[in-house]
Amino acid sequence: MKKQYRVKKSEEIEKIIKEKNYKSNPYITLYKKENTETGHFRYAISVGKKIGNAVERNRIKRLITAVIDNLNIDLDSSTDVFIIARVAIKDLSYLELRKQLEYLFRKQKLIKGEKNG
């Protein structure tokens, strides 16, 4: 995914969290906020130190980014997403992680071709 699809500033991440529009499962918490300024989908990923050392945290970030790249997300939607990885995510394979993320994206109505209802 292009760098323009990342939320970089902590103030923007705080705004996403303050919206309190989130879905969660034992592995991931996904916050969503409508953002009409950018005109495209953006995301941020947070992986806490409880998950492991820097190598393990970076591996999880790369896995999440790869899953997002391969999901059929509506990139034209003006939505900002903040993904928080939980400790149990360490045990997931790529396919399991994809299934969990896809479930949350569907719950937040961010997958292309889905009816919003």
Side-chain angles (χ1 to χ4, degrees):
M1 243 200 215
K2 298 177 183 176
K3 285 189 178 184
Q4 69 184 16
Y5 294 133
R6 293 193 199 142
V7 177
K8 297 178 183 108
K9 296 181 181 175
S10 60
E11 297 89 31
E12 293 175 333
I13 292 172
E14 288 175 17
K15 287 180 186 176
I16 297 170
I17 293 172
K18 284 182 185 175
E19 195 76 17
K20 294 185 180 174
N21 181 4
Y22 69 94
K23 301 290 181 196
S24 188
N25 64 27
Y27 311 101
I28 302 158
T29 302
L30 187 134
Y31 287 86
K32 172 183 140 182
K33 178 182 181 293
E34 297 300 319
N35 183 0
T36 56
E37 297 170 12
T38 58
H40 56 79
F41 174 82
R42 298 187 318 159
Y43 71 97
I45 301 171
S46 175
V47 182
K49 289 188 176 182
K50 287 184 178 181
I51 290 178
N53 61 19
V55 173
E56 184 70 16
R57 292 192 308 269
N58 286 334
R59 184 184 74 79
I60 298 295
K61 285 181 191 176
R62 283 193 310 273
L63 266 176
I64 292 171
T65 302
V67 168
I68 291 172
D69 287 347
N70 293 324
L71 284 178
N72 194 17
I73 298 170
D74 186 6
L75 297 177
D76 296 329
S77 72
S78 300
T79 307
D80 290 346
V81 173
F82 181 47
I83 300 166
I84 301 174
R86 300 171 108 186
V87 176
I89 203 168
K90 290 191 297 187
D91 303 327
L92 293 182
S93 69
Y94 174 83
L95 292 175
E96 293 167 332
L97 178 61
R98 180 184 168 103
K99 181 180 170 186
Q100 296 297 327
L101 257 177
E102 188 171 0
Y103 170 77
L104 290 176
F105 274 95
R106 283 189 198 287
K107 291 288 259 184
Q108 290 285 27
K109 297 178 176 69
L110 293 170
I111 301 287
K112 276 187 190 173
E114 298 273 323
K115 300 254 184 202
N116 290 339

